[in-house]
Every structure is written in C-alpha cells, then in structure tokens.
C-alpha cells in the first residue's frame, strides 16, 4: 500500500528511524523534506535519492525560540506540505542513587529534545495544517518505554510518557477542531540505531546491536502507517497494548465521554 500523504517533513532524519522512514517515503514515490543538525548527512541523503525528490533543511530543534521562524520558512517554501514526522530524540542514563553523577543540564536537554521541542513544533505547525482541505497528519515517534519504563534511562522514559499522554489528548482536541489533521503515534521497541552508541551512552556495551534490526522495524511500521493506523506499536509494545494499554485507553475514552 501507498502512503496517503504526498510531501512529508521528517525531523531527526540524519540517522536511524528517521533516515529509514524518509527512505520509505522516497521509495513510495512521494516527496520528502529531511531535517537534522548534520548538513553533511542531509546532503548524503539527497545525493543518494535525488534532489528532485528530496529537500533538506539543517535545524536544531532544541533551539526553541527559533522554531516559529523555522516552521514559517518551511511552510512558505513548501505550501503543499501535508505531513510532519516528529522523530528527533536522545537517550541518556541517570542513576539517582548516585546524585553526584546526575548532570541536570543533560537531563534538561534530554527533556527539551524529546518533549518540549515537540510541543513547540506541534503548536507552530497546527495553524498551517488546519487550513488544508485534504487530510494532513502529525506523526510522532515515542517509545515502548512510554508505557513500561527502564531504570537505567528514567528521564527518557518520562519524556516519552509525557509525550504519549499529550498525544492522546491532542488527537481528541484536533478531531473536534477545524481542519482534518490525523494524529499518529509510533511506539518503537529498542531498535538497532545510533541512539545506543557508545558516543552517546558509554555505559552500554555494544549498544548499536541492541534491539530489533532497523529494517525489520521499518517494514512493520510502514505496513501499519500505510494501512492508516493511528497507533503503531511494534515488537514487544504490541503485547503491552494487548495486556493493558488498550484497557487504559478505553478508560480514558470513557472518562472523556462522561465529561462531555
């Protein structure tokens, strides 16, 4: 099946899941705008897949005050943009039993990258997407750790849990509001990407080989994405949905109905 959207912006596209999904979009015959901090990686992607299909934009999403201008420039340059994939993320380890090792600046950067930047980007893109007559989408990469935390990376889990809860609410708000914006959430398990590399997390041994192979993850995600699924749990996360998340979300919808 083919993706419903014709021009997709992928944030965090210079490696891993973002790069793999951007490749799927190009292979599907659609246009992609790849965004990340490393211009050389963006150029590599564009040279590999052709500048007729790929646009690039170097940007650091942690610079929150620059996000409105970034979105304004992107939407002016690409008025036919109809989907945004918010995929950037970092993961760091923290051990609060050794508080002297906890770098609160790093903790703040992780939360800003994984959550606050997403909220700034979401707020900036919604007015543009609401004006579209056709269906558009905001696609978020969260994590299975949004549902089941791991002790070694508590702040990462917390940032993804915060994002997951916000997505549940934003989906319902946008359903009731103007426009036709579909809100989609991808829940990866551990995937073999740079996220666990020694450069970023030296306490993990052989981190690049942790988890599901990237190609396997991407194929399963793409199948559900093109199927039109709003929630895309992959790997072990599907079990979490079956065992408790579907029930929890059922309760969320029950409470929401009672409040109307």
């Amino acid at each position: 099946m083919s993706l419903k959207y014709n021009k997709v912006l992928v944030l965090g596209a210079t490696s891993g899941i973002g790069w793999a999904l951007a490749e799927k979009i190009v292979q599907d015959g659609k246009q992609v705008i790849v965004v990340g901090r490393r211009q050389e990686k963006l150029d590599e992607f564009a040279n590999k897949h052709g500048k007729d299909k790929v646009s690039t934009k170097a940007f650091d999403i942690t610079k929150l005050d620059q996000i409105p201008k970034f979105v304004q420039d992107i939407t002016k340059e690409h008025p036919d943009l109809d989907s945004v994939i918010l995929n950037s993320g970092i993961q760091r380890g923290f051990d609060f039993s050794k508080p002297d090792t906890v770098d609160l600046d790093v903790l703040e950067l992780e939360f800003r990258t994984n959550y606050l930047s997403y909220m700034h980007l979401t707020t900036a893109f919604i007015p543009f997407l609401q004006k579209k007559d056709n269906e558009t989408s905001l696609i978020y990469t969260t994590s299975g750790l949004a549902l089941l935390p791991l002790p070694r990376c508590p702040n990462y889990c917390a940032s993804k849990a915060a994002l997951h809860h916000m997505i549940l609410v934003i989906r319902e708000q946008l359903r009731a509001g103007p426009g036709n914006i579909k809100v989609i959430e991808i829940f990866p398990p551990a995937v073999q990407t740079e996220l666990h590399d020694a450069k970023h997390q030296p306490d993990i041994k052989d981190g690049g080989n942790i988890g599901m192979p990237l190609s396997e993850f991407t194929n399963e995600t793409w199948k559900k994405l093109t199927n039109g699924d709003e929630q895309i749990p992959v790997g072990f996360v599907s079990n979490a949905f079956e065992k408790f998340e579907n029930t929890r979300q059922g309760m969320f919808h029950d409470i929401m109905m009672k409040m109307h």
Side-chain angles (χ1 to χ4, degrees):
M1 292 177 73
S2 184
L3 190 67
K4 183 177 279 190
Y5 313 105
N6 294 308
K7 183 175 272 191
V8 185
L9 175 77
V10 183
L11 292 139
T14 54
S15 67
I17 290 170
W19 179 289
L21 288 175
E23 284 196 315
K24 281 286 192 186
I25 293 162
V26 171
Q27 289 159 7
D28 194 34
K30 307 300 175 70
Q31 299 278 316
V32 70
I33 308 156
V34 289
V35 179
R37 288 175 300 170
R38 294 176 286 178
Q39 184 65 55
E40 71 278 6
K41 294 296 289 183
L42 300 174
D43 292 341
E44 181 187 333
F45 188 95
N47 291 333
K48 180 179 178 183
H49 294 287
K51 294 183 180 175
D52 55 324
K53 299 170 192 162
V54 179
S55 301
T56 68
K57 187 85 170 174
F59 185 66
D60 181 351
I61 63 165
T62 66
K63 299 186 186 314
L64 303 182
D65 60 333
Q66 295 179 20
I67 286 176
K69 176 72 162 56
F70 163 75
V71 172
Q72 185 180 43
D73 291 347
I74 285 284
T75 52
K76 189 175 180 182
E77 202 174 320
H78 303 278
D80 52 343
L81 174 69
D82 57 2
S83 180
V84 179
I85 299 180
L86 299 100
N87 171 75
S88 308
I90 62 172
Q91 185 184 102
R92 302 293 184 262
F94 295 98
D95 184 350
F96 284 85
S97 72
K98 300 169 184 169
D100 57 315
T101 68
V102 174
D103 187 331
L104 292 173
D105 289 336
V106 173
L107 182 135
E108 192 274 336
L109 175 63
E110 184 176 43
F111 199 79
R112 183 164 18 120
T113 304
N114 295 353
Y115 179 76
L116 292 177
S117 69
Y118 281 51
M119 293 303 98
H120 282 253
L121 288 159
T122 297
T123 306
F125 272 115
I126 283 174
F128 168 80
L129 296 175
Q130 280 180 323
K131 293 182 182 128
K132 297 275 188 180
D133 294 326
N134 55 304
E135 181 187 302
T136 60
S137 65
L138 290 165
I139 304 172
Y140 300 85
T141 302
T142 60
S143 171
L145 299 181
L147 311 179
L148 289 163
L150 272 182
R152 71 158 303 277
C153 51
N155 191 55
Y156 177 86
C157 301
S159 67
K160 294 295 186 176
L163 186 57
H164 171 52
H165 280 79
M166 185 64 93
I167 289 166
L168 286 176
V169 173
I170 289 172
R171 180 182 291 119
E172 299 307 320
Q173 290 180 340
L174 291 181
R175 237 194 276 277
N180 185 12
I181 306 172
K182 188 166 186 175
V183 176
I184 300 165
E185 183 173 2
I186 301 168
F187 301 82
V191 180
Q192 293 174 12
T193 68
E194 287 184 9
L195 188 75
H196 309 114
D197 279 2
K199 174 186 170 187
H200 303 119
Q201 302 195 76
D203 57 315
I204 300 179
K205 188 178 178 184
D206 201 19
N209 291 318
I210 287 175
M212 179 184 276
L214 180 59
S215 59
E216 187 182 327
F217 164 80
T218 308
N219 289 336
E220 188 175 334
T221 300
W222 186 255
K223 185 178 176 183
K224 293 180 177 181
L225 203 51
T226 54
N227 189 50
D229 293 12
E230 283 189 338
Q231 300 194 88
I232 302 175
V234 182
F236 87 87
V237 194
S238 298
N239 294 334
F241 263 74
E242 287 169 19
K243 289 185 176 175
F244 67 86
E245 184 61 19
N246 286 331
T247 302
R248 197 176 74 93
Q249 289 192 30
M251 292 172 70
F252 162 68
H253 287 289
D254 287 346
I255 292 169
M256 199 172 59
M257 291 298 289
K258 285 172 185 170
M259 291 181 72
H260 275 295

